[in-house]
Amino acid sequence: MSLLRRTLNKKYCSIFNITLCSVESRSYVHVLPKPTLQPPQSCCSHPRFNHGPPKCWQCDFPHKSELFCSKCKALQKLPQEMNYFDIIGVEKSFDIDVNTVKQKYKKLQGLLHPDKYGQKSEAEKQISENLSALINKAYSTLLDPMTRGFYMLKLQGITLSDETNSSDPEFLMEIMEKNEEIEEASKDKVKVFKFLEENRAKILSLTKNISDAFHNNDIDQAQRQLIKLKYYISIESRLKNLKQSLGIVE
């Protein structure tokens, strides 16, 4: 056996799949089992790439419709990756047509309102309630330019809210002076009406700037303009309250 140990070097052990072992000073040859080679797995057979059509939660039938199963007609859950634009059915753009949003919203609510599913299963009623709430949220978000802009930034990974403040000292001074002017003229109908018109013009100008920024894919500029718009929307709300208290009729 010692002769065999001297003869078999690492090269031949590797070729013949042999290892040398020693137990109680005695050497022996141990032949390892040959490894079983597995055929390469197709990428398409991997679960990660198995993107078949969605299946109905009720009858397990692959369905084509995003809302209803083509076999049992059961209401379906929406895919999680759908954003508010997809849900309402409009192009993902800041410059959406508000009338189109309203029309599509009414159509969706006509199909999904919980009252239509009172005689359905508890599961389908719950899906209807969830979808109806989701559509309401999508509609209210897209209908308003400021919340629509905030949402578009969110899709880019940037979160703004009503609590987000401007860091521009000159702009903050401008807003402070505007609020002081409104306070001084709070009982003057003519001045309040004038401020209201000026503020609306400013909102339109900022909305145009935001539209241009998104069109040019200038996300930083869109963010800055949206924060400014938030302040002028707040002023708009204050002026509307003054208008109502003073009995101003347009």
Side-chain angles (χ1 to χ4, degrees), residues 46-226:
H46 194 282
R48 179 182 175 187
F49 298 95
N50 189 17
H51 297 308
K55 292 186 177 181
C56 173
W57 61 269
Q58 180 166 271
C59 69
D60 206 36
F61 184 79
H63 62 89
K64 297 179 181 179
S65 171
E66 293 178 342
L67 286 177
F68 299 97
C69 173
S70 54
K71 183 178 181 181
C72 71
K73 308 303 180 185
L75 184 62
Q76 303 296 306
K77 299 177 182 179
L78 291 180
Q80 293 183 352
E81 63 270 16
M82 291 184 72
N83 59 51
Y84 288 168
F85 295 93
D86 295 332
I87 291 170
I88 297 297
V90 294
E91 181 185 3
K92 189 178 77 171
S93 169
F94 183 77
D95 302 314
I96 57 176
D97 181 39
V98 173
N99 289 328
T100 300
V101 172
K102 291 179 179 179
Q103 292 171 4
K104 289 182 176 290
Y105 166 75
K106 289 179 180 179
K107 183 177 180 180
L108 285 170
Q109 280 293 27
L111 292 171
L112 303 174
H113 197 279
D115 290 347
K116 294 176 65 69
Y117 296 86
Q119 304 302 318
K120 299 291 185 178
S121 66
E122 289 300 320
E124 198 163 0
K125 283 193 287 186
Q126 187 62 54
I127 292 174
S128 171
E129 291 175 5
N130 293 342
L131 287 180
S132 183
L134 179 61
I135 289 168
N136 285 337
K137 178 64 175 176
Y139 175 70
S140 62
T141 299
L142 298 185
L143 200 61
D144 180 80
M146 185 178 73
T147 55
R148 187 193 315 144
F150 282 2
Y151 182 69
M152 290 186 67
L153 288 180
K154 184 178 179 180
L155 294 178
Q156 297 281 343
I158 302 171
T159 301
L160 295 182
S161 69
D162 291 338
E163 305 300 322
T164 305
N165 296 317
S166 174
S167 58
D168 183 347
E170 292 184 5
F171 174 72
L172 292 175
M173 181 63 68
E174 174 187 328
I175 294 299
M176 186 178 69
E177 291 174 353
K178 179 61 66 176
N179 278 308
E180 288 176 353
E181 290 177 358
I182 294 172
E183 182 66 29
E184 293 172 358
S186 60
K187 295 183 180 180
D188 189 323
K189 290 185 178 182
V190 175
K191 286 187 177 181
V192 168
F193 186 76
K194 177 176 175 290
F195 288 152
L196 192 58
E197 288 188 325
E198 290 176 351
N199 197 72
R200 287 174 179 172
K202 186 65 176 180
I203 288 174
L204 287 175
S205 175
L206 287 170
T207 303
K208 177 64 167 57
N209 293 343
I210 296 166
S211 171
D212 291 342
F214 277 120
H215 181 74
N216 296 325
N217 201 30
D218 189 344
I219 303 303
D220 290 339
Q221 175 70 353
Q223 182 175 348
R224 288 191 294 269
Q225 296 298 308
L226 276 164

Side-chain angles (χ1 to χ4, degrees), residues 20-35:
L20 296 176
C21 304
S22 176
V23 178
E24 296 180 352
S25 301
R26 291 186 301 170
S27 300
Y28 65 94
V29 177
H30 177 60
V31 180
L32 298 175
K34 293 183 178 180

